[in-house]
Amino acid sequence: MPGPGSSNRPNVIIHGGNRLNFISSWFFLWIFQLLNISRKRNLGKDDLTLQDSETAKVVGDRLENFWRLEGDNTENSRNGKNSIRRALVKSFGTYYAFLGLYKLFGAFFTFLGAYFLVNRLIDYASGNGNTLAAYLYALGLFLCALFSSIFINQLIAESTRVGVQVRAALMVLIYRKSLRLSSDRGGTGDIINLVANDCNRVAEACVNFHFLWSSAVEIIAVLILACVELGTAGLPALFILLVLFPIQYKLGRLTSTISNTITNITSSRIHLMSEILTAIKLIKFYAWESYFRDRVGRVRRKEFSRLLNGIVVKVWTFCVVFGAPVLAMLGCLCVKVLSPDYINEDEGIRARKVFTVLALFYTVRYPLIMLPIAVRTTLGALDSFERLNEFLLQTELEPLKQEKEPIENDPSIRIYMNDADFSYEGVSDPTLRFLNMKVRQGELIAIVGDVGAGKSSVLSAILGQIRKDNGICKIRGSISYVPHDAWLLNSTLKDNILFGNDYDDKRYQDAVHICALNRDFSLLSYGDMTEIGDRGVNLSLGQRQRVSVARAVYSNADIILLDDPLSVMDPVVGKHIFHECIRKYLKDKAVIFVTNQLQYLSECDRIMVMKDGECFEEGTYDELITKDVNLASLIGEYMEIEDPDQIDELINEIRLEKVAEEIDESDGLESLVVADSKNNSNLKEYPLSFTRTQSKSEAHEATINRIVELNSHTIQNANINEQTISKMIERNNLTILGGAGKTRMMGTQVNRELNVTAKAVERNQLTIHSLNEREGITPIIDSDRRKEPKVSLHVYLDYFRKSTGFSLTLLMIISFFLMAAVRFFSDWWLINLVISINPEQYGSRLGIYGALVGIVLIGVFARGGFYAWVMMHKSQALHDQTFMRVLRAPMSYFDITPLGKILNVFAKHQYLVDDVLSDNALQFFSWLPLITGTVIFIIILFPWTGIVAVVLSFCIWFLIYVSKDVEERFKHMDADSKAPIFSHLSATLEGLASIRVYNAQNRFDDQNIEKINTNNKALFAMMQVKSWQSLYIDLLASIFIFATALCVIILRKNGGPEYASKAGLAIANALQLLIFVQWMVRSGRDVAATMDSVQQLLYYRQNIPSERPNVIETNRPPPDWGKSGEIEFKNVTLRYNIYGVAVLKSISFHIHPREKIGIVGKTGSGKTTLLVSLLRIVELAEGNIIIDNLDISTIGLRDLRNNIAIIPQEPVIFAGTIRTNLDPFRKCTDEEIWNALKAVHLYDKVKSSTSRLDTQVLENGRNFSLGQRQLFCIARALLKKTNILVLDEATSAVDLQTDVIIQETIKKNFADHTVLTIAHRLNTIMEADRILCLNEGRVVEFDTPLNLLNNPEGFFYQLVDHSGPEVATKLKQIALQHAPSNNITIPDISNSNTISKEHEKSTIISPTISTDSQHNNNQHSHMPPSLGEVFVQPPSPSTSQQKD
C-alpha cells in the first residue's frame, strides 16, 4: 500500500498489538515484509507509515486534554496538585494495565513447563508412564516454552509501544507549554533536558514497570511450588529467596542513586571539557595546560570511583542472580537429605523432586535480573514526574492584546503607554518604570542608553514578553521584530525571509534589495534556495542580521521593532540599510529603533534616552542637544576602522573548514568527504592524515582543493587567487585571541549538530544522558547509504592490552568460564545425592555440594570484582591518554576539527566505554559461559542433541544476518531523526519572541509533531525488529528444548534414578536457553557496537599530532629573559600548511623596549597571524623572531608563553574562583592579587563579597559583567609579571564608562611594558608610539601616527581618509595631542626607507593590469575617486564582498 508522499516506494504500516489479527501481532509477521523490501532496496522513512493511533498529534492531543482536565479540577487547582502521572494513567493506563495479562500468561506457561511437564518427563525417565504420554509432555513443553516466549515478547513489544507513545505525548505537551512560557522562564537547557532525559525515563519505566510487581508474584509462585514438591524441605528456599528479594530491590535503588551521581559528575566533566576546548587557544597562550590537566584529573578520579561502585553493585546483582538458585537448592537439600524420610524414599521420586525443584529455581533468575532494572527505571520516572509537574505548572505568558478601535480616536497612533511599569517573572522590582510612549504611523523612534538601561526591555514590553504591573499599554496593528541576535531557522534563505507568509514577488525582491542581499545570493550556487544551518552557522553575523531584517520588512507589519540590528554590520552596509530600508522603505511604518550607533540619531524623528529602566530624556536630536544631553560627546568616540576591501565569509562554499558530509565518525576520521549540498551523488574525498609530524594545519590545503574544485561551478564569476586564499586563511584566525576560532564554532552543514551540542554543553544545558540521546550529532550522510562501523580485530587486541595488559584481561575472561564450569559441576554432583549410596555418605556428598555452592558464590563475586577493576582501569587509561593528546595538540588540529566532535569523544564515546561497554560486557561474559556451557553439558549427557545444536546455531546466525542490516538502518534513522527534534526545540526556545510576534505557533507545533513522527517511525520499527529477533531466537531455543526432551524419551531403555537424574539435569538446564540466548546475542552485538567508541578513543590517542615540547631542559631561557621587551622579526614567513599559501611574507621590523605598537591593516592582511607567530601557535616556515637576543624557536613553548601576557578581545573567565582565574598555580601572594585588583578597579567589588578571593565564578563568568570580565583579564596579565603584552582591542558592546576605565587601566598599568595592539578603533591607535601597517602579509608602513597622517599617499592616510573628513580631523588632533610622547628616536632609518619602497610597490597600480581590470576595481571601490589611484588594489568584486 503506497504511503503518503511516496507513491513510487513500497510502504509498510508499522503495526502493534492492537490489530484484530492476533497471529500477525504475536509472530510479528509484518516484519517479514520489511525484510523482503530491504533485500530489494534500502529502507528509508518514506517506506514506513505510523498507524493513526500512534501519531504524535493523536497521543499529544489526548494527553493535553487530560492535563487540562487536571487543571479544571477545582480541588487540584486549589491544592496545586495537578499530576502529569494521573493524566498519563487516564490517557494510556487502561491498555497498559491490560498488558499485565501478558506477563501473567507468560509466567503461567513458564511454571507449567518448568514444574508440571518437567516433573512428568523425569518421572517417565525413571521408568514410569507410557511413551505416548511422554511425547505429549515433550510437545507440551515445547508449546509452553513457545507461548511463554510469545507472551513475554508481546509484553516487551507492547510496553515499548506504549512507552514511545507516552514519550511522544510528553514531548508534544512540553513543546506546546514552552510556546506559552515567558522567554525568561524555564531555561533552554532545562527544557531540553526534560525532553531528552525525563521523557525517556518515563518511557523506560513503561517498558519495565510490569516486571516490578510480577517479580514478587513469580518468586512467591516458585516458593509455593517448591513447598508443594518438597514439603517442609522447601522452607529454606522460602527464607533464602525472601531475603534475596529485598536485597535485589535495594541493589536496584542503589544502582539508581549511583547512576544519578555518575550523571552529575560526568556532566561536570563535560562542562569542564567544553570550557577547555572553547578556550583552548587562550589556555595555550597562558600555558595553563597543566592546571586544567589537574582539574580534569580531580573530576575524573571522583567519576572513576563512582563508576567502580556502580559496576560492583551490578556484580552483586549478578551474584544474587547466579547464587539464588544454587543457594536455595542447597538449603532445601540440607533439610531434605538429612531428614529420616530421605533414605527410605524411592530414588526415582528423589530424582523427580530434586530436578523439578532445580528447574523451578532456575526460573527465578529472570525476575531477579529484571527487578533491579524495574526499580531503577520506576524511581527515575517518579523523579521525572516531579520535574515535569513543576515545568507544566509554570505561569504562562498572557497573549498580546491588540486594540481594535483607534487609540484616543487617532488612527495614526500605533503604540501608547502611560506611566506603565513592567517586570519579568520572578523579579520583584520593576524592570521598566513610569514608561510613557506615543508612537504614530510613519515615525522613527530611536532608543539609546548604556548597557542594562532597559532599551531591549522596552521592545519586550511592546511585544508582551514581560508582565505589565501598572499603567496603560495599548498596541494597535501587526508587529514585526528583529532581535539583537539574529534568529534563523535550518531552512532555505527564502523560507527564512517569507517565514510562512504567502510569496509576493515584488515585495520579496524589494526586501532582498534594500537589505543588501542580492550580492550574497548571486554568490551562492542555489541563490536564495541555499539551505542554511541551525542558527545560521554558515552565515556571517551581518548576513544573518540582514536576513532577519528582510523577514521583518517582508512581513509588511504596521509596527517594526529593531533591536540594534546594524551593530554587527559593516559600516557601509549599515548606512545603506539605515537609509534605504529604515528611512525610505519603512517610512510609512511605526519604527522603534534600539541602537548604540549614535551616528544615526540625527536622522530619527525622536529619541528616547533610557537610564536605569526609566526614560531619562525624550525629544528630537536638536532638542536633546539643546538640553545639554551628553549625546554630542558620545558620537565619534568609537571610530571603527572601515575596510572597503573586506571579503565576505562566503556561505559554506569557500569557508576555511570542512564542507563535508561524513559517512560516519570512523570514516570521517580518515577522510574529508565533500558533497554538493543538494546532490550527494557526486562525492569526492580528500585524505586528511594526522600521522605527519609537522604541526601545520591541513585544513587550508583542503580549502584550496575545495576552492579549485568549486571555482568553475559554485561561485559565479569567481576569480580565486592566492591573495584571496591567504585572506581566507587569515580570516579563520581573526578571533585567535577570543578563545574560540570561527572555524570550530561556526560549523558547516555536516558539523552543525556537533557545534550546537558543544555550545549547549558550554551553557550547561545538557547532561550526559541527553547528549547521548542526541546521537544524531554524529556526522552522517543519507542513512540509505550508511553502514555499520567495522571494528577490526586489532582494536580488540589493543583494548585487551590497554592498562592491565593482555594476560590479565584474558585471565579475567577465563574466570567467567571457570565459574560456569564449577556451577555445571555442582549440578552434575546432584546426581550423587539421588542415586543409591551408603547413608553415611550423604553428609559428605552434601558437604561437597555445599563447598561447590560456596565456590560459585565467592567466585562469582571475585570474578566480578576482578572484572570491575580491569574494565575501569582500561577506561581510565583511554581517557587520560586521549585527553593528554588533545591537550597537547597544535592549534592546527583544532582549526580543522569541530569542537563538538572532540567534545563528543569525551562525552558520548567515553560514556559508552565507561558505562555501556562495562555493563554489556558483564552481561555478555555472564551469559556466554552459561549458554555455551549449557549446550555442551546437554551434549555430554545426550550426544544426539549436538546435531540439533549445530543446526539451530546456524539458524540463529542466519536470522541475525538477514535482520541486522534492517535493524542497523532503523537504529541510524532513529539517531539521525533525534537531532532535528532537539534542534527545532532549541531554535524555538531561542526565537520565542519572533514566533509569537509572527503568530507562527501552530506552524511550529506542526513541524515539531512531524519531526517526532519521523523519529517514532524509526524507533517503533527498530524495537519491533528487535522483538522479532528475540521471538524467533526463543523459538529456536524452544526447538532445542523440545529436541532435548525427545532425546530423553527416545534414549530411555529401562530408565532408573541415574537416567532420570541426567534427564532432569538436561531439561532443567535446557530451559535456561529461553530468554538468555537472545540476551547473550543482544549483549554481544551491543559490545561489538560499543567497541566503535573504543576505536574512536584509540584513534585520538594514536593519531593526533603534538606541539613542540613545553620545556627543553637543555635550553632554558635565563631567569630575567623577556624583562627588556625588545622584539625583532627577521624575514619571517608563515604558512598555516607546509605547502600552503604564505600569510606572512618575509616581513622584518624591530620593536624597541617598552614601545607601544599599534597594528593595523585590512581584513586578511596578517595582523592576527603576526601575533600567532610571536606565540608560536603556528611554527614559522622561514625566518626568525628574536626576543631579548634569544631566538624563540630554540626554547620550550611554556617558557615562551609564560613570558608574554595576553589580553584577549573577548574576555574569557573560567569556572572556579577569582583566585584560580587570576593565579591558578598559586605563585602570587594575596597582597599581590589584591594590588592587581586595585589597579583594575575591582578591589571594592571583590572585597564586598563574603568569600573574597575564593568567590565562585560561574560558567563563562556570567556572574560578572562584560566589562568586569575584561578587567579580570587585565589583572591576569598584570600578575603574569612579564614585560611584553599582546592586546587585541575589544570591540564588545561595553558601556562608555566601562570602556574608558578599561583603556585608562591598560595605559596606566602597562606604561613600562612593550605593548602590541591589534587595532580596531582609530582613536586609540593614535596614542601608540608607532603604527605598523600590514597589507597582504607585508609591512607597508611603520612610523609614528603623526608622520603617517602627514603622508597623503600613504596606506594609513588612505585608511583614515576613508572614514570621512570629520574623523580624519579628530584623529589628527589626537595625534598632535600625543605628539610629544611620539617623538622618540628611531635609529634604523634605512629600514623605514625599505618599507616605503615596499609600500610604493604594493600601493601603486601595476602597469601590467589591464584597463578592464582597472575599471572593474575602481568601479567597485568605496574610496573617493581622487584617492583611488594611490590606494591598495581591492580584489575583484567576484572574490570579495563587504564584511559584516
Side-chain angles (χ1 to χ4, degrees), residues 591-624:
V591 181
I592 309 293
F593 179 42
V594 170
T595 184
N596 273 330
Q597 296 181 294
L598 307 175
Q599 65 266 32
Y600 300 124
L601 297 186
S602 61
E603 301 185 55
C604 296
D605 297 321
R606 281 186 292 129
I607 302 167
M608 289 178 61
V609 182
M610 297 297 297
K611 186 175 182 180
D612 297 329
E614 297 183 18
C615 182
F616 178 63
E617 288 286 353
E618 183 180 4
T620 65
Y621 178 80
D622 293 335
E623 289 171 352
L624 293 181

Side-chain angles (χ1 to χ4, degrees), residues 1207-1213 1240 1242 1264-1276 1287-1292 1294 1298-1299 1302 1306:
I1207 299 178
Q1209 182 185 42
E1210 298 173 8
V1212 175
I1213 303 292
V1240 298
L1242 287 174
F1264 293 98
S1265 70
L1266 189 67
Q1268 289 169 337
R1269 296 201 297 270
Q1270 190 75 59
L1271 293 171
F1272 274 121
C1273 289
I1274 298 172
R1276 190 186 287 159
L1287 168 65
D1288 193 0
E1289 190 176 69
T1291 57
S1292 302
V1294 295
T1298 304
D1299 187 70
I1302 291 172
I1306 292 173

Side-chain angles (χ1 to χ4, degrees), residues 328 571 809 942:
T809 305
F942 297 96

Side-chain angles (χ1 to χ4, degrees), residues 476-700:
R476 181 173 174 267
S478 57
I479 303 175
S480 62
Y481 171 55
V482 180
H484 182 268
D485 297 319
W487 177 72
L488 301 182
L489 297 172
N490 177 17
S491 185
T492 64
L493 287 163
K494 186 174 183 178
D495 287 342
N496 270 281
I497 294 173
L498 298 181
F499 206 65
N501 291 312
D502 295 332
Y503 179 72
D504 182 303
D505 186 68
K506 184 180 185 307
R507 184 152 48 109
Y508 180 77
Q509 296 301 333
D510 288 345
V512 170
H513 170 70
I514 64 173
C515 294
L517 287 168
N518 280 321
R519 178 171 171 76
D520 300 89
F521 290 175
S522 70
L523 290 170
L524 296 170
S525 301
Y526 301 98
D528 61 357
M529 297 306 293
T530 301
E531 182 176 336
I532 60 174
D534 289 324
R535 301 166 180 81
V537 292
N538 47 352
L539 298 180
S540 69
L541 290 174
Q543 286 167 330
R544 292 179 221 170
Q545 199 61 276
R546 281 186 278 136
V547 172
S548 184
V549 174
R551 176 194 298 160
V553 171
Y554 184 81
S555 70
N556 200 28
D558 302 312
I559 302 167
I560 314 291
L561 306 180
L562 306 173
D563 194 353
D564 202 14
L566 306 184
S567 61
V568 297
M569 300 182 192
D570 175 83
V572 175
V573 177
K575 290 173 185 175
H576 165 83
I577 290 181
F578 180 78
H579 290 105
E580 296 297 321
C581 177
I582 299 174
R583 290 295 301 161
K584 292 182 180 179
Y585 193 83
L586 300 178
K587 65 181 185 298
D588 296 327
K589 309 292 184 182
V591 181
I592 309 293
F593 179 42
V594 170
T595 184
N596 273 330
Q597 296 181 294
L598 307 175
Q599 65 266 32
Y600 300 124
L601 297 186
S602 61
E603 301 185 55
C604 296
D605 297 321
R606 281 186 292 129
I607 302 167
M608 289 178 61
V609 182
M610 297 297 297
K611 186 175 182 180
D612 297 329
E614 297 183 18
C615 182
F616 178 63
E617 288 286 353
E618 183 180 4
T620 65
Y621 178 80
D622 293 335
E623 289 171 352
L624 293 181
I625 295 298
T626 303
K627 293 179 182 177
D628 290 332
V629 176
N630 199 19
L631 289 176
S633 64
L634 299 178
I635 297 176
E637 282 296 328
Y638 296 94
M639 289 171 279
E640 299 280 342
I641 297 175
E642 292 190 11
D643 181 359
D645 189 28
Q646 297 178 34
I647 62 171
D648 243 342
E649 293 137 0
L650 297 179
I651 303 175
N652 199 22
E653 297 180 296
I654 54 170
R655 287 177 61 82
L656 189 60
E657 56 192 38
K658 292 198 275 188
V659 197
E661 292 203 8
E662 297 172 281
I663 292 177
D664 54 55
E665 289 203 10
S666 56
D667 292 339
L669 296 169
E670 302 296 334
S671 63
L672 173 67
V673 183
V674 180
D676 187 286
S677 61
K678 289 284 182 179
N679 181 9
N680 290 332
S681 60
N682 299 319
L683 292 174
K684 297 189 177 182
E685 294 192 4
Y686 301 108
L688 276 181
S689 171
F690 292 104
T691 56
R692 295 182 296 179
T693 56
Q694 72 271 11
S695 59
K696 308 295 183 184
S697 171
E698 285 85 354
H700 315 302

Side-chain angles (χ1 to χ4, degrees), residues 2-39:
S6 55
S7 58
N8 60 337
R9 296 174 68 112
N11 197 273
V12 178
I13 297 178
I14 301 173
H15 289 294
N18 57 348
R19 300 183 69 195
L20 294 176
N21 185 352
F22 69 92
I23 297 296
S24 177
S25 294
W26 284 6
F27 291 95
F28 302 98
L29 297 183
W30 67 275
I31 298 293
F32 288 98
Q33 187 183 358
L34 270 185
L35 298 176
N36 185 47
I37 294 173
S38 70
R39 288 175 58 246

Side-chain angles (χ1 to χ4, degrees), residues 268-282:
S268 66
R269 177 175 60 81
I270 294 171
H271 295 321
L272 179 56
M273 283 302 306
S274 175
E275 190 175 40
I276 292 170
L277 294 172
T278 305
I280 188 66
K281 288 180 181 177
L282 281 177

Side-chain angles (χ1 to χ4, degrees), residues 17 92-103 105 155 158 210:
F92 305 96
T94 303
Y95 180 72
Y96 185 73
F98 168 77
L99 296 179
L101 295 177
Y102 278 132
K103 182 58 186 167
F105 283 128
L155 171 67
E158 289 304 291
H210 280 302

Side-chain angles (χ1 to χ4, degrees), residues 53 335 583 586 597 659 770 834 963 1063 1089 1187:
S53 59
V335 176
R583 290 295 301 161
L586 300 178
Q597 296 181 294
V659 197
S770 57
V834 173
S963 62
I1187 297 180

